[in-house]
């Protein structure tokens, strides 16, 4: 077997100065233990769609008298046995443990393990081994061959954000806890396995893959994909993985750009700490657009249709290498600490790499969408807060929305404006990463470090400036209190606005005048901005606009928002017909979500919908209600992180 490069290096432990002791989305008692490391040993069985094996947790108890270990789990995990041993204690034989599984929420359960009193001593390492089998939990997506791009071999991938990986392995499923991990994965012949790990090795004879993540990560960033995958190196520390039929297209679209983007990011924010920056393109069944799994970004193959959105999404995930992965939000109630900072970093990278006009145009599209959502929701809707307090039982995934990204971005931009020099703020962010690397933080950590870094601002009491108080930024509803100057995008934005004004202000515009606008040279974001602004003034003033739009090739739509828009209008029967023709090519999770959108009120429909009723009733388990399009644009399923949606009515950002 090929050896791993080296032993894992020592890194700072988990936690942070102000890490919260309570996470209402976790059933675990993570504050009672320090998780040093864990190891997964799994065998993948594509025939029965199961992963089976064991998990070993290296734990150090923190408190005296705590003889119960509580882990996050899921009803789809079948626990076979649990045992414990104390390394280097003279007792080499493991001790079998008793355990109890209790309900927690609709997205998980609690695994309560009784620990032997003699073994639990503060500061002394214990090893807990859990043997288990996965079934059809929300983190694990088994794709039959017809659901893959090549349609020749099955594929499986995991998606942990936000609280799904408790159905992959029992864990402290909270971003407040980080640890290193290793994994051994056994697969059938012809299957390649990838994980979000810094090193890997493979034994062809034994069909065993081994992985090591030497840097501490939270549970949601542990990811796996296995199938017919091939790769091409596109830089000294990056390679592209995909099914064979997609690989050449993906490589052509990315070229050497990844290393260029990494270099720009490093100039701004300091060294990229994760070693590898690989990308794997997944079939259209992937439930989100992209996921920032460390060392191995997952991204949907559909994004290859648009070079600009591919660029934005990959750069956004690269930015997470600093903001979100290296320094992580300690609670899901403050996701903006990851997404808002990553969005700011993404735009700093694109400004340096592609200029101010490009970045301002993209930002205008996103902020337009933010204000569009506010008009639907109202300024007092609590979902527009940066710090969203949620009750126990609420799935954190349902809180992902434009405010997490764009209002967070505006707050970070405001902090940059306060310091008076964007390059000084770059240095602040670089030092912030260095200060808190591999830790989980709360908003107050960032604010305290900011005010300490710029003492003149603290002396000027900028945190209490009337109307722009930091507390109001974090806890207040409504639009951002400040938005950056985006006039640098006028060369690209003004032609779009001119065409919109032409259509809106003239009852029957001259077609020759309209066609003088050469949309074939417009960028994707110009087309999206034009469509959004036209539809903001629906109904459209003239039918020929459809012909104008039809000349472009950049209209991208994703499945769920498209079906939601069709059902909301007069096109429901068209949507039903399309669904019947394409449902066999949908992942079962997506199929159930679309069924719910189409047929949730089917009991009141005419007999024409009778087949839909029987189809819906045969689906088990029943899908949860789909969220309002005004709150989120992704399917209401635990594995869905915020989706990039380039639809006619809404634009969201990448994961």
């Amino acid at each position: 077997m090929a050896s791993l490069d080296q032993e894992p290096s020592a890194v700072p432990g988990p936690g942070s100065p102000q890490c919260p002791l309570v996470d209402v989305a976790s059933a675990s008692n993570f504050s009672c233990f320090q998780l040093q490391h864990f190891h997964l040993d799994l065998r993948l069985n594509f025939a029965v769609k199961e992963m089976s094996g064991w998990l070993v947790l290296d734990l150090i108890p923190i408190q005296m008298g705590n003889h119960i270990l509580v882990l996050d789990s899921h009803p789809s995990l079948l626990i076979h046995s649990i045992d414990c041993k104390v390394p280097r204690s003279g007792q080499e034989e493991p001790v079998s443990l008793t355990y109890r599984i209790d309900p927690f929420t609709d997205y998980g359960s609690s695994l309560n393990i009784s620990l032997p009193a003699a073994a639990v001593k503060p500061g002394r390492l214990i090893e807990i081994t859990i043997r288990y089998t996965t079934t059809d939990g929300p983190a694990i997506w088994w794709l039959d061959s017809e659901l893959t791009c090549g349609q020749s071999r099955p594929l499986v991938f995991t998606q942990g954000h936000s609280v799904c990986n408790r159905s992959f392995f029992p864990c402290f499923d909270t971003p407040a806890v980080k640890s290193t991990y290793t994994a051994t994965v056994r697969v059938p012949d012809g299957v390649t396995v990838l994980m979000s790990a810094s090193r890997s090795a493979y034994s062809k004879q034994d069909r065993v893959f081994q992985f090591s993540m030497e840097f501490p990560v939270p549970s949601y960033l542990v990811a796996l994909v296995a199938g017919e995958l091939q790769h091409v190196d596109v830089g000294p520390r990056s390679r592209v993985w995909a099914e064979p039929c997609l690989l050449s297209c993906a490589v052509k679209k990315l070229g050497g750009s990844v290393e260029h983007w990494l270099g720009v990011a490093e100039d701004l924010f300091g060294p990229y700490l994760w070693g590898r920056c690989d990308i794997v393109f997944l079939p259209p069944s992937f439930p989100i657009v992209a996921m920032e799994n460390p060392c191995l970004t997952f991204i949907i193959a559909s994004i290859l249709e648009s070079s600009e959105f591919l660029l934005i999404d990959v750069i956004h995930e690269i930015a997470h290498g600093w903001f979100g992965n290296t320094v992580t939000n300690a609670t899901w109630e403050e996701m903006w600490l990851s997404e808002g900072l990553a969005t700011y970093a993404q735009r700093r990278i694109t400004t340096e790499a592609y200029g101010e006009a490009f970045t301002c145009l993209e930002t205008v599209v996103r902020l337009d969408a933010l204000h569009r959502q506010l008009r639907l929701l109202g300024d007092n809707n609590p979902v527009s807060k940066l710090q969203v307090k949620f009750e126990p039982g609420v799935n954190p995934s349902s809180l992902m929305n434009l405010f997490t990204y764009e209002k967070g971005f505006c707050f970070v931009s405001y902090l940059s404006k306060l310091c008076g020099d964007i390059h000084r703020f770059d240095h602040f962010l670089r030092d912030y990463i260095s200060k808190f690397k591999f830790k989980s933080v709360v908003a107050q950590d960032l604010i305290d470090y900011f005010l300490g870094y710029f003492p003149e601002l603290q002396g000027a009491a900028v945190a209490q400036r009337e109307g722009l108080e930091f507390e109001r930024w974090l806890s207040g509803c409504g639009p951002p209190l400040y938005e950056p100057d985006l006039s640098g995008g006028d060369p690209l934005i003004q032609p779009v606005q001119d065409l919109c004004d032409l259509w809106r202000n003239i009852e029957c515009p001259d077609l020759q005048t309209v066609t003088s606008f050469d949309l074939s040279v417009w960028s994707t974001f110009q087309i999206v901005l034009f469509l959004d602004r036209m539809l903001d003034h629906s109904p459209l003033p003239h039918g020929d606009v459809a012909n104008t739009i039809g000349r472009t090739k950049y209209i991208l739509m994703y499945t769920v928002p498209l079906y939601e828009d069709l059902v909301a209008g007069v096109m429901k029967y068209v949507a039903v017909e399309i669904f019947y023709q394409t449902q066999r090519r949908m992942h079962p999770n997506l199929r159930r979500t679309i069924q719910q959108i189409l047929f949730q009120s089917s009991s009141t429909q005419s007999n024409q919908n009778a087949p839909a009723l029987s189809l819906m009733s045969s689906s088990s388990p029943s899908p949860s209600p789909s969220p309002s399009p005004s709150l989120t644009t992704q399917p209401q399923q635990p594995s869905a992180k915020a989706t990039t949606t380039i639809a006619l009515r809404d634009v969201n950002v990448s994961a």
Side-chain angles (χ1 to χ4, degrees):
M1 175 176 290
S3 62
L4 299 173
D5 298 337
Q6 59 186 38
E7 292 300 313
S9 59
V11 292
S16 72
Q18 302 193 44
C19 184
L21 297 180
V22 176
D23 181 347
V24 298
S26 174
S28 69
N29 59 347
F30 64 89
S31 62
C32 299
F33 298 87
Q34 182 182 5
L35 176 61
Q36 291 272 18
H37 182 84
F38 68 88
H39 176 75
L40 285 167
D41 194 302
L42 298 173
R43 183 179 299 276
L44 308 190
N45 188 327
F46 284 85
V48 295
K49 298 181 179 178
E50 286 183 353
M51 299 183 186
S52 58
W54 60 86
L55 162 74
V56 181
L57 299 167
D58 292 345
L59 296 168
I60 296 179
I62 296 175
Q63 302 172 348
M64 285 288 295
N66 182 33
H67 301 139
I68 299 292
L69 169 64
V70 184
L71 298 174
D72 290 300
S73 187
H74 192 272
S76 62
L77 280 185
L78 305 179
I79 307 297
H80 303 306
S81 67
I82 303 177
D83 59 52
C84 169
K85 69 178 181 179
V86 182
R88 297 178 295 277
S89 67
Q91 179 186 349
E92 298 302 325
E93 289 299 316
V95 176
S96 181
L97 303 181
T98 60
Y99 61 90
R100 185 183 76 250
I101 299 174
D102 292 334
F104 176 59
T105 63
D106 61 0
Y107 56 83
S109 54
S110 66
L111 175 59
N112 302 266
I113 304 169
S114 298
L115 302 175
V120 181
K121 295 182 179 180
R124 185 168 77 171
L125 179 70
I126 59 175
E127 288 185 1
I128 307 296
T129 300
I130 304 173
R131 289 171 172 80
Y132 71 100
T133 300
T134 70
T135 55
D136 59 348
I140 304 174
W141 293 62
W142 296 92
L143 304 185
D144 295 329
S145 56
E146 59 266 26
L147 293 178
T148 66
C149 295
Q151 300 189 0
S152 59
R153 287 178 178 267
L155 183 142
V156 63
F157 62 83
T158 65
Q159 169 59 21
H161 196 285
S162 304
V163 289
C164 297
N165 266 356
R166 60 192 67 185
S167 68
F168 183 15
F169 55 94
C171 57
F172 294 137
D173 201 3
T174 169
V177 174
K178 293 185 173 185
S179 77
T180 58
Y181 80 89
T182 50
T184 300
V185 185
R186 309 164 200 278
V187 293
D189 190 33
V191 174
T192 296
V193 184
L194 309 174
M195 290 192 74
S196 55
S198 51
R199 298 192 307 278
S200 64
Y202 172 57
S203 169
K204 185 175 182 180
Q205 179 179 352
D206 300 323
R207 299 195 301 277
V208 172
F209 289 81
Q210 291 188 338
F211 302 93
S212 174
M213 171 51 85
E214 60 188 302
F215 309 108
V217 295
S219 58
Y220 78 92
L221 290 178
V222 178
L224 175 150
V225 58
E228 186 182 17
L229 299 169
Q230 297 179 359
H231 76 271
V232 170
D233 288 341
V234 294
R237 48 184 165 171
S238 56
R239 61 181 43 160
V240 170
W241 290 88
E243 294 179 69
C245 60
L246 284 175
L247 187 59
S248 62
C249 175
V251 171
K252 181 180 179 181
K253 287 294 183 76
L254 283 175
S257 298
V258 177
E259 183 61 30
H260 173 56
W261 298 331
L262 282 169
V264 173
E266 288 184 314
D267 289 342
L268 292 169
F269 310 121
Y272 178 75
L273 300 175
W274 299 94
R276 300 295 307 176
C277 184
D278 297 340
I279 300 169
V280 57
F281 286 89
L282 297 178
S285 296
F286 188 52
I288 61 176
V289 169
M291 180 63 205
E292 66 270 16
N293 300 311
C295 306
L296 183 68
T297 291
F298 285 17
I299 192 163
I300 194 168
S302 308
I303 204 70
L304 291 168
E305 294 295 327
S306 168
S307 296
E308 288 180 52
F309 279 101
L310 174 65
L311 176 155
I312 289 295
D313 285 314
V314 173
I315 291 178
H316 184 85
E317 306 315 314
I318 286 176
H320 272 305
W322 287 262
F323 306 99
N325 294 2
T326 298
V327 181
T328 307
N329 49 284
T331 168
W332 294 121
E333 294 175 327
E334 294 186 327
M335 280 185 272
W336 74 270
L337 283 169
S338 170
E339 300 299 351
L341 278 161
T343 302
Y344 179 88
Q346 160 211 312
R347 289 171 181 158
R348 285 293 294 122
I349 296 169
T350 58
T351 298
E352 295 297 314
Y354 299 102
E356 183 183 20
F358 174 85
T359 299
C360 288
L361 170 63
E362 182 264 335
T363 306
V364 164
V365 171
R366 308 301 195 186
L367 291 180
D368 270 15
L370 180 76
H371 289 289
R372 191 174 302 113
Q373 283 201 350
L374 273 172
R375 290 196 295 271
L376 294 171
L377 295 171
D379 285 350
N380 294 322
N381 194 303
V383 78
S384 62
K385 295 181 179 181
L386 285 183
Q387 289 181 328
V388 182
K389 300 299 180 183
F390 57 93
E391 298 298 321
V394 173
N395 192 324
S397 296
S398 67
L399 300 177
M400 295 295 293
N401 55 48
L402 276 169
F403 302 99
T404 306
Y405 296 79
E406 299 305 332
K407 192 172 182 179
F409 159 77
C410 288
F411 181 45
V412 179
S413 298
Y414 176 62
L415 297 180
S416 176
K417 179 177 182 292
L418 285 176
C419 80
D421 184 331
I422 195 170
H423 300 294
R424 285 185 72 202
F425 194 68
D426 293 339
H427 284 289
F428 159 75
L429 291 177
R430 177 193 291 253
D431 291 341
Y432 165 78
I433 293 295
S434 180
K435 168 73 173 178
F436 294 104
K437 65 181 178 182
F438 303 123
K439 294 181 180 179
S440 299
V441 300
V442 295
Q444 198 61 46
D445 293 320
L446 172 67
I447 290 172
D448 288 348
Y449 189 68
F450 175 79
L451 294 175
Y453 198 91
F454 300 106
E456 71 277 13
L457 297 181
Q458 187 169 18
V462 295
Q464 291 80 40
R465 186 168 291 175
E466 185 175 359
L468 292 163
E469 300 90 345
F470 287 3
E471 178 59 29
R472 185 177 176 187
W473 267 105
L474 298 177
S475 302
C477 299
L481 305 178
Y482 162 86
E483 293 183 12
D485 178 14
L486 300 175
S487 60
D490 285 351
L492 298 176
I493 297 167
Q494 194 57 50
V496 176
Q497 190 59 48
D498 290 344
L499 182 57
C500 290
D501 292 342
L502 177 66
W503 278 106
R504 288 202 297 260
N505 297 331
I506 302 176
E507 182 177 349
C508 187
D510 177 63
L511 189 58
Q512 185 175 357
T513 304
V514 171
T515 55
S516 67
F517 291 82
D518 186 2
L519 272 64
S520 66
V521 300
W522 277 18
S523 70
T524 304
F525 284 109
Q526 286 176 299
I527 295 295
V528 171
L529 183 63
F530 172 69
L531 294 174
D532 281 341
R533 290 190 170 180
M534 288 299 295
L535 289 168
D536 280 340
H537 296 268
S538 296
L540 297 180
H542 194 272
D544 283 341
V545 72
N547 295 328
T548 304
I549 296 171
R551 296 189 180 100
T552 73
K553 60 179 180 180
Y554 296 115
I555 303 175
L556 305 177
M557 291 185 178
Y558 289 93
T559 307
V560 169
L562 175 58
Y563 273 99
E564 288 174 336
D565 283 350
L566 289 174
V567 169
V570 298
M571 302 289 286
K572 178 171 183 176
Y573 295 123
V574 174
V576 170
E577 180 62 28
I578 293 171
F579 172 74
Y580 282 142
Q581 294 179 15
T582 61
Q583 60 175 313
R584 293 185 181 276
R585 299 197 297 275
M586 293 181 179
H587 187 277
N589 291 13
L590 177 61
R591 189 184 307 137
R592 287 194 293 266
T593 300
I594 301 304
Q595 287 171 343
Q596 198 276 335
I597 292 171
L598 291 175
F599 311 128
Q600 58 182 338
S601 59
S602 54
S603 60
T604 63
Q605 301 297 316
S606 66
N607 290 336
Q608 185 172 353
N609 280 352
L613 278 169
S614 62
L615 178 62
M616 182 59 183
S617 62
S618 66
S619 176
S620 179
S622 176
S624 57
S626 178
S628 166
S630 64
L631 294 177
T632 178
T633 55
Q634 80 259 11
Q636 180 69 21
Q637 50 198 13
S639 55
K641 196 166 179 276
T643 307
T644 298
T645 303
I646 302 84
L648 294 180
R649 291 297 302 169
D650 206 359
V651 179
N652 202 347
V653 293
S654 65

